[in-house]
PDB file of all heavy atoms in Angstrom:
ATOM      1  N   ALA A   6      47.342 -19.581  -8.150  1.00 96.00           N
ATOM      2  CA  ALA A   6      46.264 -19.391  -7.212  1.00 96.00           C
ATOM      3  C   ALA A   6      46.750 -19.599  -5.787  1.00 96.00           C
ATOM      4  O   ALA A   6      47.555 -20.498  -5.514  1.00 96.00           O
ATOM      5  CB  ALA A   6      45.118 -20.361  -7.499  1.00 96.00           C
ATOM      6  N   SER A   7      46.254 -18.788  -4.876  1.00 95.00           N
ATOM      7  CA  SER A   7      46.587 -18.921  -3.461  1.00 95.00           C
ATOM      8  C   SER A   7      45.379 -18.543  -2.622  1.00 95.00           C
ATOM      9  O   SER A   7      44.380 -18.037  -3.124  1.00 95.00           O
ATOM     10  CB  SER A   7      47.805 -18.081  -3.105  1.00 95.00           C
ATOM     11  OG  SER A   7      47.551 -16.706  -3.334  1.00 95.00           O
ATOM     12  N   GLY A   8      45.482 -18.788  -1.310  1.00 92.00           N
ATOM     13  CA  GLY A   8      44.363 -18.531  -0.427  1.00 92.00           C
ATOM     14  C   GLY A   8      43.494 -19.746  -0.247  1.00 92.00           C
ATOM     15  O   GLY A   8      43.981 -20.871  -0.241  1.00 92.00           O
ATOM     16  N   ARG A   9      42.191 -19.536  -0.134  1.00 86.00           N
ATOM     17  CA  ARG A   9      41.239 -20.617   0.111  1.00 86.00           C
ATOM     18  C   ARG A   9      40.840 -21.295  -1.184  1.00 86.00           C
ATOM     19  O   ARG A   9      39.675 -21.277  -1.602  1.00 86.00           O
ATOM     20  CB  ARG A   9      40.023 -20.092   0.853  1.00 86.00           C
ATOM     21  CG  ARG A   9      40.346 -19.585   2.248  1.00 86.00           C
ATOM     22  CD  ARG A   9      39.090 -19.228   3.003  1.00 86.00           C
ATOM     23  NE  ARG A   9      39.379 -18.818   4.364  1.00 86.00           N
ATOM     24  CZ  ARG A   9      38.467 -18.529   5.263  1.00 86.00           C
ATOM     25  NH1 ARG A   9      37.188 -18.602   4.943  1.00 86.00           N
ATOM     26  NH2 ARG A   9      38.839 -18.159   6.482  1.00 86.00           N
ATOM     27  N   THR A  10      41.805 -21.918  -1.818  1.00 84.00           N
ATOM     28  CA  THR A  10      41.574 -22.522  -3.123  1.00 84.00           C
ATOM     29  C   THR A  10      40.681 -23.754  -3.044  1.00 84.00           C
ATOM     30  O   THR A  10      40.117 -24.155  -4.066  1.00 84.00           O
ATOM     31  CB  THR A  10      42.904 -22.894  -3.791  1.00 84.00           C
ATOM     32  OG1 THR A  10      43.654 -23.758  -2.932  1.00 84.00           O
ATOM     33  CG2 THR A  10      43.709 -21.652  -4.079  1.00 84.00           C
ATOM     34  N   ALA A  11      40.527 -24.339  -1.858  1.00 84.00           N
ATOM     35  CA  ALA A  11      39.637 -25.483  -1.722  1.00 84.00           C
ATOM     36  C   ALA A  11      38.177 -25.132  -2.007  1.00 84.00           C
ATOM     37  O   ALA A  11      37.361 -26.029  -2.262  1.00 84.00           O
ATOM     38  CB  ALA A  11      39.760 -26.085  -0.318  1.00 84.00           C
ATOM     39  N   SER A  12      37.848 -23.870  -1.970  1.00 85.00           N
ATOM     40  CA  SER A  12      36.486 -23.444  -2.247  1.00 85.00           C
ATOM     41  C   SER A  12      36.169 -23.389  -3.730  1.00 85.00           C
ATOM     42  O   SER A  12      35.021 -23.113  -4.098  1.00 85.00           O
ATOM     43  CB  SER A  12      36.224 -22.076  -1.617  1.00 85.00           C
ATOM     44  OG  SER A  12      37.019 -21.072  -2.233  1.00 85.00           O
ATOM     45  N   THR A  13      37.165 -23.619  -4.571  1.00 91.00           N
ATOM     46  CA  THR A  13      36.958 -23.547  -6.015  1.00 91.00           C
ATOM     47  C   THR A  13      37.334 -24.887  -6.659  1.00 91.00           C
ATOM     48  O   THR A  13      38.379 -25.448  -6.379  1.00 91.00           O
ATOM     49  CB  THR A  13      37.801 -22.432  -6.647  1.00 91.00           C
ATOM     50  OG1 THR A  13      39.188 -22.719  -6.500  1.00 91.00           O
ATOM     51  CG2 THR A  13      37.499 -21.104  -5.964  1.00 91.00           C
ATOM     52  N   ALA A  14      36.467 -25.370  -7.520  1.00 95.00           N
ATOM     53  CA  ALA A  14      36.704 -26.617  -8.248  1.00 95.00           C
ATOM     54  C   ALA A  14      37.089 -26.382  -9.693  1.00 95.00           C
ATOM     55  O   ALA A  14      37.606 -27.299 -10.337  1.00 95.00           O
ATOM     56  CB  ALA A  14      35.462 -27.494  -8.183  1.00 95.00           C
ATOM     57  N   ILE A  15      36.852 -25.171 -10.186  1.00 97.00           N
ATOM     58  CA  ILE A  15      37.023 -24.868 -11.593  1.00 97.00           C
ATOM     59  C   ILE A  15      37.954 -23.678 -11.745  1.00 97.00           C
ATOM     60  O   ILE A  15      37.861 -22.689 -11.011  1.00 97.00           O
ATOM     61  CB  ILE A  15      35.668 -24.527 -12.248  1.00 97.00           C
ATOM     62  CG1 ILE A  15      34.673 -25.674 -12.047  1.00 97.00           C
ATOM     63  CG2 ILE A  15      35.843 -24.181 -13.720  1.00 97.00           C
ATOM     64  CD1 ILE A  15      35.075 -26.957 -12.707  1.00 97.00           C
ATOM     65  N   MET A  16      38.855 -23.767 -12.710  1.00 97.00           N
ATOM     66  CA  MET A  16      39.680 -22.637 -13.115  1.00 97.00           C
ATOM     67  C   MET A  16      39.401 -22.342 -14.578  1.00 97.00           C
ATOM     68  O   MET A  16      39.084 -23.232 -15.348  1.00 97.00           O
ATOM     69  CB  MET A  16      41.160 -22.946 -12.913  1.00 97.00           C
ATOM     70  CG  MET A  16      41.542 -23.204 -11.461  1.00 97.00           C
ATOM     71  SD  MET A  16      41.444 -21.695 -10.437  1.00 97.00           S
ATOM     72  CE  MET A  16      42.798 -20.757 -11.103  1.00 97.00           C
ATOM     73  N   GLY A  17      39.558 -21.084 -14.933  1.00 98.00           N
ATOM     74  CA  GLY A  17      39.274 -20.729 -16.321  1.00 98.00           C
ATOM     75  C   GLY A  17      39.975 -19.478 -16.763  1.00 98.00           C
ATOM     76  O   GLY A  17      40.662 -18.810 -15.982  1.00 98.00           O
ATOM     77  N   TRP A  18      39.789 -19.204 -18.036  1.00 98.00           N
ATOM     78  CA  TRP A  18      40.303 -18.003 -18.653  1.00 98.00           C
ATOM     79  C   TRP A  18      39.204 -17.306 -19.442  1.00 98.00           C
ATOM     80  O   TRP A  18      38.454 -17.966 -20.180  1.00 98.00           O
ATOM     81  CB  TRP A  18      41.470 -18.285 -19.608  1.00 98.00           C
ATOM     82  CG  TRP A  18      42.707 -18.793 -18.944  1.00 98.00           C
ATOM     83  CD1 TRP A  18      43.058 -20.094 -18.701  1.00 98.00           C
ATOM     84  CD2 TRP A  18      43.776 -18.002 -18.439  1.00 98.00           C
ATOM     85  NE1 TRP A  18      44.275 -20.168 -18.078  1.00 98.00           N
ATOM     86  CE2 TRP A  18      44.746 -18.893 -17.898  1.00 98.00           C
ATOM     87  CE3 TRP A  18      44.018 -16.633 -18.379  1.00 98.00           C
ATOM     88  CZ2 TRP A  18      45.925 -18.442 -17.316  1.00 98.00           C
ATOM     89  CZ3 TRP A  18      45.190 -16.187 -17.802  1.00 98.00           C
ATOM     90  CH2 TRP A  18      46.132 -17.090 -17.274  1.00 98.00           C
ATOM     91  N   PHE A  19      39.099 -16.000 -19.263  1.00 98.00           N
ATOM     92  CA  PHE A  19      38.283 -15.135 -20.078  1.00 98.00           C
ATOM     93  C   PHE A  19      39.174 -14.106 -20.734  1.00 98.00           C
ATOM     94  O   PHE A  19      40.308 -13.908 -20.326  1.00 98.00           O
ATOM     95  CB  PHE A  19      37.207 -14.432 -19.230  1.00 98.00           C
ATOM     96  CG  PHE A  19      36.014 -15.279 -18.886  1.00 98.00           C
ATOM     97  CD1 PHE A  19      36.124 -16.349 -18.025  1.00 98.00           C
ATOM     98  CD2 PHE A  19      34.762 -14.949 -19.399  1.00 98.00           C
ATOM     99  CE1 PHE A  19      35.020 -17.113 -17.687  1.00 98.00           C
ATOM    100  CE2 PHE A  19      33.644 -15.712 -19.063  1.00 98.00           C
ATOM    101  CZ  PHE A  19      33.766 -16.788 -18.213  1.00 98.00           C
ATOM    102  N   ARG A  20      38.653 -13.442 -21.738  1.00 98.00           N
ATOM    103  CA  ARG A  20      39.391 -12.336 -22.352  1.00 98.00           C
ATOM    104  C   ARG A  20      38.442 -11.199 -22.716  1.00 98.00           C
ATOM    105  O   ARG A  20      37.249 -11.403 -22.927  1.00 98.00           O
ATOM    106  CB  ARG A  20      40.166 -12.812 -23.581  1.00 98.00           C
ATOM    107  CG  ARG A  20      39.296 -13.254 -24.751  1.00 98.00           C
ATOM    108  CD  ARG A  20      40.142 -13.850 -25.847  1.00 98.00           C
ATOM    109  NE  ARG A  20      39.341 -14.217 -27.017  1.00 98.00           N
ATOM    110  CZ  ARG A  20      39.834 -14.861 -28.072  1.00 98.00           C
ATOM    111  NH1 ARG A  20      41.109 -15.206 -28.122  1.00 98.00           N
ATOM    112  NH2 ARG A  20      39.042 -15.164 -29.090  1.00 98.00           N
ATOM    113  N   GLN A  21      39.012 -10.012 -22.797  1.00 98.00           N
ATOM    114  CA  GLN A  21      38.239  -8.844 -23.174  1.00 98.00           C
ATOM    115  C   GLN A  21      39.067  -7.979 -24.116  1.00 98.00           C
ATOM    116  O   GLN A  21      40.117  -7.466 -23.744  1.00 98.00           O
ATOM    117  CB  GLN A  21      37.827  -8.041 -21.954  1.00 98.00           C
ATOM    118  CG  GLN A  21      36.867  -6.899 -22.256  1.00 98.00           C
ATOM    119  CD  GLN A  21      36.217  -6.321 -21.026  1.00 98.00           C
ATOM    120  OE1 GLN A  21      36.759  -6.439 -19.920  1.00 98.00           O
ATOM    121  NE2 GLN A  21      35.061  -5.713 -21.186  1.00 98.00           N
ATOM    122  N   ALA A  22      38.567  -7.822 -25.318  1.00 97.00           N
ATOM    123  CA  ALA A  22      39.188  -6.983 -26.318  1.00 97.00           C
ATOM    124  C   ALA A  22      38.646  -5.566 -26.211  1.00 97.00           C
ATOM    125  O   ALA A  22      37.548  -5.355 -25.681  1.00 97.00           O
ATOM    126  CB  ALA A  22      38.944  -7.533 -27.720  1.00 97.00           C
ATOM    127  N   PRO A  23      39.379  -4.579 -26.714  1.00 92.00           N
ATOM    128  CA  PRO A  23      38.891  -3.192 -26.639  1.00 92.00           C
ATOM    129  C   PRO A  23      37.511  -3.034 -27.273  1.00 92.00           C
ATOM    130  O   PRO A  23      37.284  -3.485 -28.395  1.00 92.00           O
ATOM    131  CB  PRO A  23      39.941  -2.424 -27.429  1.00 92.00           C
ATOM    132  CG  PRO A  23      41.180  -3.240 -27.289  1.00 92.00           C
ATOM    133  CD  PRO A  23      40.710  -4.663 -27.317  1.00 92.00           C
ATOM    134  N   GLY A  24      36.615  -2.419 -26.539  1.00 94.00           N
ATOM    135  CA  GLY A  24      35.273  -2.181 -27.029  1.00 94.00           C
ATOM    136  C   GLY A  24      34.367  -3.394 -27.063  1.00 94.00           C
ATOM    137  O   GLY A  24      33.246  -3.308 -27.575  1.00 94.00           O
ATOM    138  N   LYS A  25      34.819  -4.518 -26.525  1.00 96.00           N
ATOM    139  CA  LYS A  25      34.054  -5.753 -26.567  1.00 96.00           C
ATOM    140  C   LYS A  25      33.703  -6.228 -25.154  1.00 96.00           C
ATOM    141  O   LYS A  25      34.296  -5.797 -24.180  1.00 96.00           O
ATOM    142  CB  LYS A  25      34.837  -6.859 -27.271  1.00 96.00           C
ATOM    143  CG  LYS A  25      35.315  -6.511 -28.667  1.00 96.00           C
ATOM    144  CD  LYS A  25      34.152  -6.332 -29.627  1.00 96.00           C
ATOM    145  CE  LYS A  25      34.653  -6.076 -31.042  1.00 96.00           C
ATOM    146  NZ  LYS A  25      33.545  -5.855 -31.988  1.00 96.00           N
ATOM    147  N   GLU A  26      32.719  -7.097 -25.081  1.00 97.00           N
ATOM    148  CA  GLU A  26      32.364  -7.711 -23.810  1.00 97.00           C
ATOM    149  C   GLU A  26      33.375  -8.793 -23.455  1.00 97.00           C
ATOM    150  O   GLU A  26      34.042  -9.363 -24.316  1.00 97.00           O
ATOM    151  CB  GLU A  26      30.971  -8.323 -23.889  1.00 97.00           C
ATOM    152  CG  GLU A  26      29.859  -7.339 -24.184  1.00 97.00           C
ATOM    153  CD  GLU A  26      29.682  -6.331 -23.090  1.00 97.00           C
ATOM    154  OE1 GLU A  26      29.820  -6.692 -21.900  1.00 97.00           O
ATOM    155  OE2 GLU A  26      29.389  -5.163 -23.394  1.00 97.00           O
ATOM    156  N   ARG A  27      33.490  -9.062 -22.176  1.00 97.00           N
ATOM    157  CA  ARG A  27      34.340 -10.135 -21.733  1.00 97.00           C
ATOM    158  C   ARG A  27      33.777 -11.473 -22.210  1.00 97.00           C
ATOM    159  O   ARG A  27      32.572 -11.718 -22.090  1.00 97.00           O
ATOM    160  CB  ARG A  27      34.476 -10.135 -20.209  1.00 97.00           C
ATOM    161  CG  ARG A  27      35.493 -11.106 -19.679  1.00 97.00           C
ATOM    162  CD  ARG A  27      35.695 -10.954 -18.167  1.00 97.00           C
ATOM    163  NE  ARG A  27      36.218  -9.657 -17.814  1.00 97.00           N
ATOM    164  CZ  ARG A  27      36.666  -9.332 -16.614  1.00 97.00           C
ATOM    165  NH1 ARG A  27      36.647 -10.234 -15.633  1.00 97.00           N
ATOM    166  NH2 ARG A  27      37.104  -8.111 -16.392  1.00 97.00           N
ATOM    167  N   GLU A  28      34.623 -12.328 -22.754  1.00 98.00           N
ATOM    168  CA  GLU A  28      34.155 -13.596 -23.302  1.00 98.00           C
ATOM    169  C   GLU A  28      34.944 -14.768 -22.723  1.00 98.00           C
ATOM    170  O   GLU A  28      36.128 -14.680 -22.437  1.00 98.00           O
ATOM    171  CB  GLU A  28      34.244 -13.599 -24.831  1.00 98.00           C
ATOM    172  CG  GLU A  28      35.668 -13.543 -25.373  1.00 98.00           C
ATOM    173  CD  GLU A  28      35.727 -13.710 -26.891  1.00 98.00           C
ATOM    174  OE1 GLU A  28      34.732 -14.162 -27.492  1.00 98.00           O
ATOM    175  OE2 GLU A  28      36.784 -13.381 -27.471  1.00 98.00           O
ATOM    176  N   PHE A  29      34.247 -15.883 -22.632  1.00 98.00           N
ATOM    177  CA  PHE A  29      34.827 -17.123 -22.154  1.00 98.00           C
ATOM    178  C   PHE A  29      35.849 -17.663 -23.144  1.00 98.00           C
ATOM    179  O   PHE A  29      35.613 -17.630 -24.350  1.00 98.00           O
ATOM    180  CB  PHE A  29      33.708 -18.145 -21.937  1.00 98.00           C
ATOM    181  CG  PHE A  29      34.189 -19.540 -21.642  1.00 98.00           C
ATOM    182  CD1 PHE A  29      34.618 -19.885 -20.389  1.00 98.00           C
ATOM    183  CD2 PHE A  29      34.185 -20.484 -22.648  1.00 98.00           C
ATOM    184  CE1 PHE A  29      35.060 -21.178 -20.112  1.00 98.00           C
ATOM    185  CE2 PHE A  29      34.618 -21.774 -22.385  1.00 98.00           C
ATOM    186  CZ  PHE A  29      35.054 -22.126 -21.113  1.00 98.00           C
ATOM    187  N   VAL A  30      36.953 -18.185 -22.620  1.00 98.00           N
ATOM    188  CA  VAL A  30      37.981 -18.809 -23.444  1.00 98.00           C
ATOM    189  C   VAL A  30      38.080 -20.299 -23.174  1.00 98.00           C
ATOM    190  O   VAL A  30      37.976 -21.118 -24.073  1.00 98.00           O
ATOM    191  CB  VAL A  30      39.352 -18.147 -23.232  1.00 98.00           C
ATOM    192  CG1 VAL A  30      40.428 -18.869 -24.036  1.00 98.00           C
ATOM    193  CG2 VAL A  30      39.312 -16.669 -23.624  1.00 98.00           C
ATOM    194  N   ALA A  31      38.300 -20.661 -21.903  1.00 98.00           N
ATOM    195  CA  ALA A  31      38.480 -22.068 -21.553  1.00 98.00           C
ATOM    196  C   ALA A  31      38.308 -22.255 -20.067  1.00 98.00           C
ATOM    197  O   ALA A  31      38.476 -21.319 -19.272  1.00 98.00           O
ATOM    198  CB  ALA A  31      39.876 -22.555 -21.977  1.00 98.00           C
ATOM    199  N   SER A  32      37.979 -23.469 -19.643  1.00 98.00           N
ATOM    200  CA  SER A  32      37.928 -23.826 -18.240  1.00 98.00           C
ATOM    201  C   SER A  32      38.422 -25.244 -18.040  1.00 98.00           C
ATOM    202  O   SER A  32      38.479 -26.035 -18.975  1.00 98.00           O
ATOM    203  CB  SER A  32      36.516 -23.659 -17.658  1.00 98.00           C
ATOM    204  OG  SER A  32      35.601 -24.605 -18.199  1.00 98.00           O
ATOM    205  N   ILE A  33      38.777 -25.555 -16.789  1.00 98.00           N
ATOM    206  CA  ILE A  33      39.268 -26.876 -16.448  1.00 98.00           C
ATOM    207  C   ILE A  33      38.885 -27.197 -15.012  1.00 98.00           C
ATOM    208  O   ILE A  33      38.853 -26.310 -14.154  1.00 98.00           O
ATOM    209  CB  ILE A  33      40.795 -26.962 -16.657  1.00 98.00           C
ATOM    210  CG1 ILE A  33      41.288 -28.400 -16.498  1.00 98.00           C
ATOM    211  CG2 ILE A  33      41.537 -26.024 -15.710  1.00 98.00           C
ATOM    212  CD1 ILE A  33      42.721 -28.604 -16.981  1.00 98.00           C
ATOM    213  N   SER A  34      38.606 -28.473 -14.754  1.00 97.00           N
ATOM    214  CA  SER A  34      38.346 -28.937 -13.398  1.00 97.00           C
ATOM    215  C   SER A  34      39.652 -29.314 -12.715  1.00 97.00           C
ATOM    216  O   SER A  34      40.468 -30.052 -13.292  1.00 97.00           O
ATOM    217  CB  SER A  34      37.408 -30.153 -13.438  1.00 97.00           C
ATOM    218  OG  SER A  34      37.362 -30.789 -12.167  1.00 97.00           O
ATOM    219  N   TRP A  35      39.838 -28.837 -11.507  1.00 94.00           N
ATOM    220  CA  TRP A  35      41.027 -29.233 -10.733  1.00 94.00           C
ATOM    221  C   TRP A  35      41.114 -30.737 -10.565  1.00 94.00           C
ATOM    222  O   TRP A  35      42.201 -31.318 -10.607  1.00 94.00           O
ATOM    223  CB  TRP A  35      40.995 -28.610  -9.335  1.00 94.00           C
ATOM    224  CG  TRP A  35      41.413 -27.189  -9.210  1.00 94.00           C
ATOM    225  CD1 TRP A  35      40.644 -26.155  -8.809  1.00 94.00           C
ATOM    226  CD2 TRP A  35      42.709 -26.643  -9.446  1.00 94.00           C
ATOM    227  NE1 TRP A  35      41.360 -24.987  -8.775  1.00 94.00           N
ATOM    228  CE2 TRP A  35      42.651 -25.271  -9.166  1.00 94.00           C
ATOM    229  CE3 TRP A  35      43.937 -27.193  -9.877  1.00 94.00           C
ATOM    230  CZ2 TRP A  35      43.749 -24.431  -9.300  1.00 94.00           C
ATOM    231  CZ3 TRP A  35      45.025 -26.350 -10.018  1.00 94.00           C
ATOM    232  CH2 TRP A  35      44.935 -24.992  -9.722  1.00 94.00           C
ATOM    233  N   PHE A  36      39.961 -31.375 -10.385  1.00 93.00           N
ATOM    234  CA  PHE A  36      39.948 -32.757  -9.925  1.00 93.00           C
ATOM    235  C   PHE A  36      39.847 -33.781 -11.051  1.00 93.00           C
ATOM    236  O   PHE A  36      40.466 -34.843 -10.957  1.00 93.00           O
ATOM    237  CB  PHE A  36      38.815 -32.950  -8.921  1.00 93.00           C
ATOM    238  CG  PHE A  36      38.885 -31.988  -7.789  1.00 93.00           C
ATOM    239  CD1 PHE A  36      38.047 -30.889  -7.710  1.00 93.00           C
ATOM    240  CD2 PHE A  36      39.807 -32.178  -6.781  1.00 93.00           C
ATOM    241  CE1 PHE A  36      38.136 -29.989  -6.657  1.00 93.00           C
ATOM    242  CE2 PHE A  36      39.900 -31.288  -5.712  1.00 93.00           C
ATOM    243  CZ  PHE A  36      39.044 -30.198  -5.657  1.00 93.00           C
ATOM    244  N   THR A  37      39.117 -33.487 -12.076  1.00 95.00           N
ATOM    245  CA  THR A  37      38.933 -34.433 -13.175  1.00 95.00           C
ATOM    246  C   THR A  37      39.757 -34.074 -14.408  1.00 95.00           C
ATOM    247  O   THR A  37      39.997 -34.941 -15.257  1.00 95.00           O
ATOM    248  CB  THR A  37      37.459 -34.537 -13.588  1.00 95.00           C
ATOM    249  OG1 THR A  37      37.058 -33.321 -14.221  1.00 95.00           O
ATOM    250  CG2 THR A  37      36.584 -34.810 -12.378  1.00 95.00           C
ATOM    251  N   GLY A  38      40.181 -32.832 -14.519  1.00 96.00           N
ATOM    252  CA  GLY A  38      40.860 -32.388 -15.705  1.00 96.00           C
ATOM    253  C   GLY A  38      39.965 -32.122 -16.902  1.00 96.00           C
ATOM    254  O   GLY A  38      40.470 -31.806 -17.985  1.00 96.00           O
ATOM    255  N   SER A  39      38.670 -32.249 -16.704  1.00 97.00           N
ATOM    256  CA  SER A  39      37.731 -32.002 -17.801  1.00 97.00           C
ATOM    257  C   SER A  39      37.838 -30.559 -18.265  1.00 97.00           C
ATOM    258  O   SER A  39      37.912 -29.635 -17.447  1.00 97.00           O
ATOM    259  CB  SER A  39      36.312 -32.302 -17.326  1.00 97.00           C
ATOM    260  OG  SER A  39      35.367 -32.048 -18.349  1.00 97.00           O
ATOM    261  N   THR A  40      37.831 -30.368 -19.572  1.00 98.00           N
ATOM    262  CA  THR A  40      38.034 -29.031 -20.144  1.00 98.00           C
ATOM    263  C   THR A  40      36.860 -28.588 -20.987  1.00 98.00           C
ATOM    264  O   THR A  40      36.081 -29.397 -21.504  1.00 98.00           O
ATOM    265  CB  THR A  40      39.299 -28.989 -20.996  1.00 98.00           C
ATOM    266  OG1 THR A  40      39.200 -29.960 -22.049  1.00 98.00           O
ATOM    267  CG2 THR A  40      40.524 -29.289 -20.152  1.00 98.00           C
ATOM    268  N   SER A  41      36.771 -27.283 -21.158  1.00 98.00           N
ATOM    269  CA  SER A  41      35.790 -26.673 -22.041  1.00 98.00           C
ATOM    270  C   SER A  41      36.460 -25.522 -22.761  1.00 98.00           C
ATOM    271  O   SER A  41      37.256 -24.805 -22.171  1.00 98.00           O
ATOM    272  CB  SER A  41      34.582 -26.173 -21.234  1.00 98.00           C
ATOM    273  OG  SER A  41      33.599 -25.611 -22.054  1.00 98.00           O
ATOM    274  N   TYR A  42      36.140 -25.367 -24.054  1.00 98.00           N
ATOM    275  CA  TYR A  42      36.749 -24.317 -24.862  1.00 98.00           C
ATOM    276  C   TYR A  42      35.711 -23.553 -25.656  1.00 98.00           C
ATOM    277  O   TYR A  42      34.713 -24.123 -26.117  1.00 98.00           O
ATOM    278  CB  TYR A  42      37.754 -24.912 -25.854  1.00 98.00           C
ATOM    279  CG  TYR A  42      38.957 -25.545 -25.239  1.00 98.00           C
ATOM    280  CD1 TYR A  42      39.001 -26.918 -24.980  1.00 98.00           C
ATOM    281  CD2 TYR A  42      40.067 -24.786 -24.898  1.00 98.00           C
ATOM    282  CE1 TYR A  42      40.113 -27.504 -24.430  1.00 98.00           C
ATOM    283  CE2 TYR A  42      41.198 -25.379 -24.331  1.00 98.00           C
ATOM    284  CZ  TYR A  42      41.214 -26.739 -24.101  1.00 98.00           C
ATOM    285  OH  TYR A  42      42.319 -27.329 -23.536  1.00 98.00           O
ATOM    286  N   ALA A  43      35.988 -22.279 -25.855  1.00 98.00           N
ATOM    287  CA  ALA A  43      35.211 -21.514 -26.804  1.00 98.00           C
ATOM    288  C   ALA A  43      35.516 -22.006 -28.223  1.00 98.00           C
ATOM    289  O   ALA A  43      36.636 -22.411 -28.518  1.00 98.00           O
ATOM    290  CB  ALA A  43      35.541 -20.026 -26.710  1.00 98.00           C
ATOM    291  N   ASP A  44      34.515 -21.966 -29.086  1.00 98.00           N
ATOM    292  CA  ASP A  44      34.717 -22.422 -30.458  1.00 98.00           C
ATOM    293  C   ASP A  44      35.836 -21.646 -31.148  1.00 98.00           C
ATOM    294  O   ASP A  44      36.547 -22.204 -31.995  1.00 98.00           O
ATOM    295  CB  ASP A  44      33.424 -22.274 -31.265  1.00 98.00           C
ATOM    296  CG  ASP A  44      32.374 -23.284 -30.868  1.00 98.00           C
ATOM    297  OD1 ASP A  44      32.707 -24.300 -30.218  1.00 98.00           O
ATOM    298  OD2 ASP A  44      31.194 -23.070 -31.227  1.00 98.00           O
ATOM    299  N   SER A  45      35.998 -20.393 -30.803  1.00 97.00           N
ATOM    300  CA  SER A  45      36.973 -19.542 -31.471  1.00 97.00           C
ATOM    301  C   SER A  45      38.429 -19.956 -31.188  1.00 97.00           C
ATOM    302  O   SER A  45      39.320 -19.556 -31.926  1.00 97.00           O
ATOM    303  CB  SER A  45      36.774 -18.089 -31.073  1.00 97.00           C
ATOM    304  OG  SER A  45      36.890 -17.919 -29.681  1.00 97.00           O
TER     305      SER A  45
END
């Protein structure tokens, strides 16, 4: 990440398979390290 990164507190990953909607995979807080994951 570069630029005005101070404006963002959360980073994450999504994915999109062919013919499917984009889905959440995982996220993390820059400051606390707290994470969230898709069940899959």
